[in-house]
Amino acid sequence: MPFLGQDWRSPGWSWVKTEDGWKPFEFFGHDLRDNNKELDLDELVNENKENLHVADVCEVSAKKRRKDYVNNNTKSQFLYRERWIYVQKESTRERHGYCTLGEAFNRLDFSSAIQDVRRFNYVVKLLHLIAKSQLTSLSGAAQKNYFNVLEKIVRKVLEDHQNPRVIKALLQDLSSMLCILIREVGKSVLVGNINIWVSRLETILSWQQQLNNLQIPKQICNGMTLSDLPLHMQNNILYKFSDACDIINLGQATPTLHMLSEDRQLWKKLCQFHFAEKQFCRHLVLSEKGHVDWKLMFFTLQKHYPKKEQYGDTLHFCKHCSILFWKDSGHPCTANDPDSCLTPVSPQRFIDLFKF
């Protein structure tokens, strides 16, 4: 039985019944103008109502043109009313199909999450993990959302001059991965035209150039500065840092901060925060005086073991409902005690949820 509805895959042809059978008829083609006859659309429809459906074709073509225009010109993320997603790994009697990483990336509002300082590093880390291993598994819509979110992150860093180091590392790994995928096209599966991926690589290289040329202006402040605080307060601030690079960078600001950033106890606390005591014994580093060099030991341990991740806010997974969501947006939970069913989801755990 033929399909009589308006198929979105229609190429836009009209069909005319002739003595030799059905032939495609192009209303805007050159065949009509060759006879030097101007045909009225209403007249053409009235004469060939049974054989020619020009009005329907024009409507479908207009819809297709509007859809193509929106797809080619919009840079907004695909938005959904619900900011949660049901994580389904296999078909059941009640539900058929499964949830993919691309669907989750589309449904969860990462575009707004980057504006929250608590979630910024979480989203950047997630994009970093996707760039390293899951880029080819994204659908076309998920790819578009991925690069739209990435563009917003780059624009945000260029405007507020915050977190340029982590974005540079993300773009470096992403450009390296794209170079490998484009060079080995045919061996690896790339969803989309190769020219689109080449254009994306060029855009990433342009972003890298802009970040490399980023000049952070010196802020003129007439009030109290960090160096005006007492030594014990400056030392307490350094103890709150969990990133070694931040400690080193802050130590370059003033001679006093440099002295405080070299404190052995500070680096010992940092090692104890990120690594276990069993790992200390395997990679013990001693100084010339026989003391443990905790700073050098931290960077040695960093090469062998993953650091502890710390985020202000993360996605949460409800074990009762199997739903992934941002905690402030909530989800329709049917458990008696919803809070007892929630577990925070790290970026790596987010990736693992969609590995089948």
Side-chain angles (χ1 to χ4, degrees), residues 101-112:
L101 176 64
E103 290 177 89
F105 195 85
N106 290 340
R107 289 291 296 270
L108 300 170
D109 191 11
F110 290 107
S111 183
S112 299

Side-chain angles (χ1 to χ4, degrees), residues 75-83 105-124 127 145-146 148-153 156 313 315 326 328-329:
K75 287 191 175 182
S76 62
Q77 187 182 18
F78 293 92
L79 298 178
Y80 291 85
R81 185 172 298 176
E82 299 87 4
R83 297 182 180 180
F105 195 85
N106 290 340
R107 289 291 296 270
L108 300 170
D109 191 11
F110 290 107
S111 183
S112 299
I114 62 175
Q115 304 301 329
D116 191 334
V117 66
R118 301 171 302 164
R119 299 175 180 173
F120 182 84
N121 287 332
Y122 180 85
V123 177
V124 171
L127 265 61
N145 281 342
Y146 179 92
N148 284 344
V149 172
L150 183 59
E151 181 179 6
K152 291 181 180 181
I153 289 176
K156 184 178 184 301
D313 191 16
L315 286 168
W326 293 107
D328 59 351
S329 62

Side-chain angles (χ1 to χ4, degrees), residues 125-142:
K125 181 63 176 181
L126 181 58
L127 265 61
H128 207 153
L129 292 176
I130 292 176
K132 287 183 176 180
S133 60
Q134 302 296 320
L135 196 60
T136 55
S137 67
L138 297 180
S139 64

Side-chain angles (χ1 to χ4, degrees), residues 37 89 101 104 108 118 121 145 167 177 228 238 245 254 257 285 329 354:
K37 294 180 180 181
K89 292 191 175 184
L101 176 64
L108 300 170
R118 301 171 302 164
N121 287 332
N145 281 342
I167 306 305
M177 180 59 66
D228 296 329
L238 283 170
C245 293
T254 63
L257 287 172
V285 180
S329 62
F354 304 97

Side-chain angles (χ1 to χ4, degrees), residues 4-42:
L4 301 179
Q6 291 184 355
D7 190 355
W8 62 272
R9 296 166 295 183
S10 171
W13 292 99
S14 302
W15 294 84
V16 181
K17 188 175 183 180
T18 65
E19 296 179 356
D20 300 329
W22 288 89
K23 291 186 176 180
F25 178 83
E26 188 178 358
F27 178 71
F28 296 103
H30 299 286
D31 296 336
L32 292 177
R33 290 194 285 269
D34 293 339
N35 297 326
N36 296 324
K37 294 180 180 181
E38 293 191 7
L39 299 178
D40 191 346
L41 179 60
D42 297 333

